[in-house]
Amino acid sequence: MTLEEEISAPQRGRGLLRAIFRSRNLTIGLFVLLLAIGMAVVSEFWTPYPPNALRIRDKLQGPSLAHWFGTDHFGRDVFSMIMAGARNSLEVALTAVAVGIGIGVPLGALAAARGGWIDGFVMRLTDLAFAFPALLTAVIVTAIFGPSAVNAMIAIGIFNIPVFARVTRGAAMGLWKRDYVLAARCAGLGDAAITWRHILPNVNHVLIVQATIQFALAVVAEAGLSYVGLGAQPPQASWGKMLSDSQTYIYSAAHLAIFPGLAITITVLGLNLLGDGLRDLLDPRVRRQR
Amino acid sequence: MTSYVLGRLFALLLTTLAASLIVFLLMQILPGDPAAVMLGVNAQPETLAALRTKLGLDQPLWTRYLDWIGGFPFGDFGVSHTYSTPISQLLAPRIMVTLPLALLSMAISVGVALPVGVYAASRRGKPGDFLSMGAAQIGVAIPNFWLGLLLILFFALHLRWLPASGFAGWEDGLWRGLRSLILPALALGLPLAAILARVTRSAVIEALGEDFIRTARAKGLTSRAALWRHATPNALIPVATIVGMQFSFLLAGTIIIENVFNLPGVGRLIFQSIAQRDLVTVQSLVTLLAACVIFVNFLVDLAYGWLDPRLAAGGGR
Amino acid sequence: MSAPLLELDGLTVALGTGGVELLSGLSLVLERGERLGLVGESGSGKSLTALAIMGLLPEQMRVSGGLRFAGDDLPALPEERMRRLRGRRIAMIFQEPMTALNPVMSIGAQIAEGRRLHLGESRAEAEAVARRLLDRVGLPGPRFDLGLYPHQLSGGQRQRVMIAMAAACGPDLLIADEPTTALDVTVQAQILDLLDEIVEETGAALLLITHDLGVVSETADRIAVMYAGRIVETGATEEVFARMAHPYSQGLFAASPYGLDLRRAPGGPRPRLKAIPGMVPDPARRPAHCVFAERCGFVQPDCLRISPRLAPLDSGGARWPHLAACLHPRAGGLAP
Ligand SMILES: Nc1ncnc2c1ncn2[C@@H]1O[C@H](COP(=O)(O)OP(=O)(O)O)[C@@H](O)[C@H]1O
Ligand code: SF4
Ligand SMILES: [Mg+2]
């Protein structure tokens, strides 16, 4: 950092504060993500109670030492259900993002590499896709193929395709004009080889950041679909489903509405912080102006 | 200018048509014969065939498409299978719920985000900035349907200020109707406001670093006046883009929020139609929603010309 | 005798209290109607001097020493009073006409803004004045409508708008920071002429900042050469040009196309431009001895021990003394 740069940061002390704050994004984000993954993995082997065990006798209890987050209307342990719900959330979101990357990135790379009518076509297609609100697309898709966690993955994934196509195209466009790409082309490399060796490695960082953001959006979308009954089906535990069940007992058992919502919010918050932190880390251009 | 707007309108029409075609084709994949669904499992084959003819289901695909879309310019969106009512009649009262809800949410989003974003930018790096942006960070992460539940818990059940669910209708005066929309609008609008506040902040910070701010200060403007009169108008350009995108979020959000608050709106109608396999209704409503989104984006494009003279068509050099 | 219009008396600007000095002990006096040229390489502190006078230095910079305007101690002035001086009595023209105007505000509104603010004029009154100002700076209506936006004008035209803006409230002091640097050569002369006329008509004092010696020689009565945050030579323009007592002034001269043309023997070959070796030292790394010693062709052992102060030379005129901060000032003329 030259003196001039150092000085134009607002003020020494505050600069430090901001630096800590920035790296803190990464720290908190990673911590939350690992926590969620940890819960999901552990829930496969162990939960305090079996998440589906009905014990009507213990129904609608508030938080206690025996049941940290209380019990629901069937007497199921809310904490255990949240652990099991983590698996469902992460699984759906991960698949959805993978679908988006798997189809969107090649599409965007193709548009950038070929330009011309192919580019125009891909762009119009994404324009069109954006005319349908994401959640609406998901609602229609799940409606067509029937409500299930798998269909929720596909539905959310479909919306991710144009997002990744756009981002990839945008980042790759400029690279195609770079000298080293021209040089590679002179050396006889084809479009596919150049894309693989020179373009994709250089758009990686943008994709990672976008993937984090989309992952967060997918967690919310999954919860939303499950909330309206189009996502995970019983007996699979799901945060969104828990929230919709809670609504019936909102007068008597508010805790049922609190904990699943907290789980979603904290997970999404962590992922967003992770995205912000990664962007600061990977993209030096935005680091200055934020 | 006029030819520019006409050209854009034409492109808009084409996009809407393309969208309608996609929706139409998608609906054809939908499993389940709507006629069979309507008549139930024990229907006689003859009655089924008669109903299929009546619904036009035995026509070729493209005739059905043209028949369907051809009615749109005249406000004829087809007839709902389940209600046996023209869709336009189903729509009318529900739009009176969903449209005010959407507008109110948008107003909340913009009304909260602009002052907060500009404030945070002006206090960049100071406690006020961290506090408001921390709140925004959380706001972005809260799903609107959960926020809805929290609002119900607090304002409806605990404080008993506002109704927890349902819609009182507009017949008993503006306030009665509006009261039932306040919590849903907050649930929809606040998370959007959080996103918009972050965008506003960074746009204003960027504008504050521009040379013309120094010029304005050199003219004798207070830093406050330079912030509001010079930086903010420049920052509105990126903000408008996000506002346009948010409208699409918002329309989708109504589907869920109308469920949370049990509001008889368009979103719920779509949702119910899907559940009841009411093909034509879903098809028409989704197409209308897409048209809305496309139209709002068109309005945002027009607003650009107004916000940014550099983009104004016919501005001349 | 009334106080001078602008008086810098050991003006020092540092990063934070006791931090790195960006400007060190600047002293100069500017009277009404005078034109002072402030020259120096980029990075020597010219713009900071201007911003210090405007009271618009970045937050983290601290001002010490004397800085008075019409007797008022500017750094001690409450922000509200300082603000009322800005644009009203001290106006400034910036280097980059492309970015110094607000792109989403019409030029009419931008010119009128100052008058509405300081003189409380109505929109119509201020716009009538703006119209006259635009006519005056060579942008006549109806071709140059008040409703035009900056992007509809060329660089030179925008700089004319900047001049109209600066002149709007009839300031006593006009600071022009490299007003022609960003412009095409063909336009530069026109803008300088315009600036000259405006100053002439309004009787304002002009502080003209530039790195172009040709520009000062035409416009300024007096010149101050800046290097590494201090004034190293000052005096009447002809006297400074005739003697170039400070080796840095000589180097600046030898490095400018303007100086080159003056040195060229009639019909003779064009001599090569001689860039001064090295760069302006970073403010954090300025030596305690003569700041120019590392780049000076005439450096002596004592130059590495002592930091020379501005001292009068015998070549000084009656009105303005000729001063230089050099232990071994040149006798006269340019070194070959
Ligand atoms: N905002 C700032 N923060 C820290 N240092 C600065 C800042 N602006 C200018 N400087 C430093 O002050 C010195 C003088 O800058 P400036 O007045 O812009 O020079 P000039 O106008 O003569 O080219 C330079 O060394 C520069 O690095
Ligand atoms: S004091 Fe010495 S080193 Fe400094 S400018 Fe004069 S001759 Fe050069
Ligand atoms: Mg400068």
Side-chain angles (χ1 to χ4, degrees):
Chain A
M1 199 146 127
T2 69
L3 179 75
E4 192 162 350
E5 278 175 323
E6 197 170 346
I7 293 154
S8 31
Q11 222 166 48
R12 281 293 183 74
R14 274 185 219 136
L16 193 68
L17 193 69
R18 283 172 14 132
I20 293 173
F21 186 72
R22 206 182 287 136
S23 63
R24 199 179 279 171
N25 281 351
L26 268 183
T27 326
I28 300 179
L30 270 177
F31 175 76
V32 170
L33 182 63
L34 290 179
L35 190 74
I37 294 177
M39 286 208 310
V41 171
V42 172
S43 77
E44 288 292 289
F45 314 106
W46 175 86
T47 43
Y49 297 83
N52 296 317
L54 313 185
R55 285 161 57 130
I56 303 297
R57 210 160 21 93
D58 295 342
K59 72 172 183 177
L60 296 178
Q61 286 180 5
S64 66
L65 273 183
H67 298 279
W68 292 355
F69 291 176
T71 60
D72 76 351
H73 53 293
F74 290 133
R76 290 177 295 190
D77 179 53
V78 174
F79 183 71
S80 304
M81 289 172 79
I82 285 196
M83 281 182 73
R87 207 209 79 180
N88 173 62
S89 272
L90 296 184
E91 200 176 54
V92 172
L94 196 66
T95 320
V97 172
V99 169
I101 291 180
I103 303 177
V105 171
L107 220 53
L110 177 74
R114 287 294 157 83
W117 71 266
I118 297 187
D119 182 34
F121 181 72
V122 171
M123 283 305 100
R124 291 297 79 72
L125 217 57
T126 56
D127 274 347
L128 207 55
F130 283 126
F132 298 99
L135 191 76
L136 188 63
T137 318
V139 167
I140 295 170
V141 171
T142 42
I144 292 174
F145 297 108
S148 78
V150 174
N151 290 343
M153 294 174 196
I154 297 171
I156 303 167
I158 286 178
F159 176 71
N160 277 327
I161 295 172
V163 174
F164 282 101
R166 283 261 173 119
V167 168
T168 309
R169 174 190 177 269
M173 265 322 208
L175 294 174
W176 276 99
K177 296 186 190 74
R178 297 279 174 83
D179 288 344
Y180 61 84
V181 171
L182 293 179
R185 180 162 271 176
C186 292
L189 256 63
D191 282 353
I194 293 179
T195 298
W196 185 251
R197 282 207 222 143
H198 295 286
I199 306 290
L200 288 184
N202 282 298
V203 301
N204 257 342
H205 63 281
V206 187
L207 291 179
I208 290 175
V209 172
Q210 193 66 41
T212 318
I213 297 169
Q214 294 310 120
F215 197 94
L217 288 175
V219 169
V220 180
E222 189 281 328
L225 283 180
S226 296
Y227 176 83
V228 292
L230 293 175
Q233 299 299 310
Q236 169 64 59
S238 138
W239 295 341
K241 188 93 188 65
M242 290 171 76
L243 277 182
S244 78
D245 288 345
S246 81
Q247 223 169 330
T248 321
Y249 307 96
I250 198 156
Y251 290 89
S252 51
H255 67 273
L256 290 181
I258 301 289
F259 292 110
L262 269 182
I264 301 171
T265 304
I266 291 174
T267 308
V268 173
L269 182 65
L271 286 168
N272 285 342
L273 290 177
L274 189 65
D276 283 1
L278 283 175
R279 184 171 41 199
D280 291 345
L281 193 73
L282 298 176
D283 190 351
R285 266 172 313 138
V286 295
R287 202 183 297 170
R288 302 247 56 216
Q289 41 163 299
R290 296 189 79 250
Chain B
M1 185 70 191
T2 331
S3 70
Y4 168 79
V5 173
L6 284 180
R8 285 300 323 265
L9 272 173
F10 184 68
L12 185 141
L13 200 69
L14 281 187
T15 323
T16 315
L17 277 178
S20 73
L21 191 59
I22 291 180
V23 176
F24 178 79
L25 291 177
L26 267 179
M27 286 304 135
Q28 308 311 310
I29 318 173
L30 206 64
D33 179 348
V37 172
M38 285 168 76
L39 293 179
V41 265
N42 302 322
Q44 301 297 311
E46 302 84 58
T47 1
L48 201 63
L51 186 64
R52 288 180 58 91
T53 315
K54 184 166 159 260
L55 295 176
L57 291 175
D58 52 353
Q59 301 284 315
L61 211 57
W62 60 272
T63 325
R64 271 160 48 210
Y65 173 70
L66 287 182
D67 268 358
W68 168 66
I69 201 70
F72 270 54
F74 311 103
D76 172 11
F77 310 128
V79 177
S80 158
H81 293 168
T82 28
Y83 296 92
S84 303
T85 317
I87 292 169
S88 52
Q89 278 181 28
L90 291 178
L91 208 52
R94 289 173 170 86
I95 280 186
M96 291 309 290
V97 178
T98 301
L99 191 66
L101 174 62
L103 291 180
L104 198 57
S105 311
M106 208 67 242
I108 289 172
S109 170
V110 176
V112 171
L114 275 190
V116 171
V118 174
Y119 166 80
S122 72
R123 315 284 309 163
R124 188 187 182 187
K126 297 183 181 154
D129 182 21
F130 283 109
L131 275 178
S132 46
M133 282 307 109
Q137 186 71 263
I138 293 173
V140 173
I142 293 186
N144 51 26
F145 48 94
W146 187 50
L147 182 59
L149 290 181
L150 292 184
L151 291 172
I152 290 175
L153 270 176
F154 191 70
F155 289 102
L157 302 186
H158 182 68
L159 295 177
R160 296 178 183 283
W161 285 356
L162 293 161
S165 73
F167 182 66
W170 298 109
E171 300 77 27
D172 301 332
L174 195 64
W175 174 235
R176 286 281 313 250
L178 212 53
R179 259 170 64 92
S180 18
L181 292 183
I182 291 178
L183 289 185
L186 282 173
L188 261 178
L190 285 180
L192 295 181
I195 298 174
L196 200 58
R198 287 170 52 123
V199 173
T200 307
R201 173 184 177 270
S202 58
V204 171
I205 284 179
E206 187 159 340
L208 279 176
E210 302 272 1
D211 283 353
F212 57 78
I213 295 299
R214 202 182 46 192
T215 309
R217 298 280 281 134
K219 239 190 261 182
L221 266 72
T222 59
S223 53
R224 229 184 132 76
L227 173 73
W228 285 103
R229 288 227 286 270
H230 289 265
T232 306
N234 275 277
L236 286 183
I237 299 160
V239 169
T241 315
I242 306 297
V243 169
M245 284 168 48
Q246 289 200 336
F247 196 77
S248 143
F249 271 132
L250 215 132
L251 286 182
T254 55
I255 300 181
I256 288 195
I257 287 299
E258 286 174 2
N259 265 298
V260 177
F261 288 91
N262 206 3
L263 295 176
V266 181
R268 247 174 102 77
L269 180 61
I270 294 185
F271 194 72
Q272 288 164 349
S273 317
I274 288 176
Q276 293 155 346
R277 289 276 180 276
D278 191 347
L279 201 105
V280 186
T281 310
V282 178
Q283 202 170 283
S284 294
L285 292 181
V286 171
T287 303
L288 285 173
L289 271 193
C292 259
V293 171
I294 294 168
F295 184 68
V296 166
N297 284 330
F298 164 73
L299 289 185
V300 168
D301 270 4
L302 287 190
Y304 276 147
W306 179 65
L307 291 171
D308 188 352
R310 286 163 296 188
L311 298 178
R317 283 227 123 223
Chain C
M1 198 189 133
S2 69
L5 183 67
L6 178 71
E7 188 179 7
L8 273 55
D9 185 5
L11 173 71
T12 297
V13 168
L15 279 171
T17 324
V20 176
E21 276 186 14
L22 298 174
L23 298 179
S24 310
L26 298 192
S27 294
L28 55 84
V29 172
L30 191 59
E31 294 289 358
R32 285 178 180 79
E34 281 183 359
R35 291 142 205 249
L36 172 70
L38 196 58
V39 294
E41 280 169 283
S42 114
S44 46
K46 307 180 301 288
S47 298
L48 282 188
T49 309
L51 291 178
I53 298 169
M54 296 295 294
L56 289 177
L57 286 173
E59 232 182 272
Q60 71 274 20
M61 294 189 189
R62 294 282 166 275
V63 179
S64 54
L67 170 55
R68 284 180 289 277
F69 179 82
D72 281 330
D73 180 18
L74 293 187
L77 227 49
E79 168 57 24
E80 179 51 28
R81 280 197 56 203
M82 187 67 223
R83 189 185 68 70
R84 272 185 268 142
L85 287 182
R86 271 186 225 126
R88 171 78 187 82
R89 299 195 61 195
I90 314 176
M92 185 155 172
I93 297 166
F94 294 96
Q95 171 173 353
E96 278 295 337
M98 298 322 226
T99 52
L101 292 172
N102 186 338
V104 306
M105 201 170 178
S106 72
I107 56 173
Q110 293 190 60
I111 298 173
E113 192 172 27
R115 288 190 73 90
R116 298 182 62 187
L117 186 71
H118 292 297
L119 310 177
E121 285 182 357
S122 72
R123 187 196 187 100
E125 288 166 338
E127 283 189 347
V129 178
R131 181 66 266 163
R132 285 205 296 281
L133 280 163
L134 272 188
D135 290 340
R136 176 61 198 88
V137 297
L139 300 177
R143 160 85 176 77
F144 294 99
D145 190 85
L146 289 180
L148 288 184
Y149 287 92
H151 73 275
Q152 294 165 308
L153 302 176
S154 71
Q157 290 164 348
R158 290 187 214 186
Q159 202 57 310
R160 287 172 192 272
V161 172
M162 278 297 292
I163 292 176
M165 254 167 67
C169 295
D172 299 314
L173 170 62
L174 192 60
I175 305 177
D177 188 358
E178 312 254 13
T180 59
T181 307
L183 302 178
D184 288 347
V185 192
T186 46
V187 194
Q188 289 187 356
Q190 298 168 15
I191 294 292
L192 274 184
D193 286 345
L194 173 64
L195 200 57
D196 207 53
E197 291 164 23
I198 298 282
V199 170
E200 185 75 48
E201 284 164 26
T202 57
L206 174 68
L207 179 61
L208 178 65
I209 295 176
T210 175
H211 64 266
D212 185 342
L213 288 174
V215 168
V216 266
S217 76
E218 280 166 38
T219 320
D221 327 308
R222 223 164 15 117
I223 171 174
V225 181
M226 273 192 87
Y227 181 73
R230 52 208 85 197
I231 293 174
V232 294
E233 182 166 2
T234 176
T237 307
E238 315 86 71
E239 281 158 14
V240 173
F241 271 63
R243 177 159 173 189
M244 297 276 166
H246 197 285
Y248 176 67
S249 313
Q250 295 212 339
L252 207 57
F253 196 73
S256 79
Y258 171 76
L260 198 76
D261 282 344
L262 289 191
R263 277 188 296 147
R264 180 182 190 172
R270 198 179 159 88
R272 288 193 39 210
L273 265 182
K274 286 194 277 188
I276 313 177
M279 276 170 33
V280 185
D282 191 290
R285 283 183 269 288
R286 282 176 192 159
H289 52 264
C290 174
V291 283
F292 191 55
E294 273 69 22
R295 304 171 73 188
C296 182
F298 307 96
V299 60
Q300 306 281 323
D302 53 349
C303 305
L304 296 171
R305 288 196 311 269
I306 306 168
S307 173
R309 302 161 60 89
L310 267 184
L313 302 168
D314 47 18
S315 52
R319 209 167 150 207
W320 297 302
H322 188 176
L323 312 172
C326 175
L327 299 173
H328 309 282
R330 301 290 96 200
L334 276 178

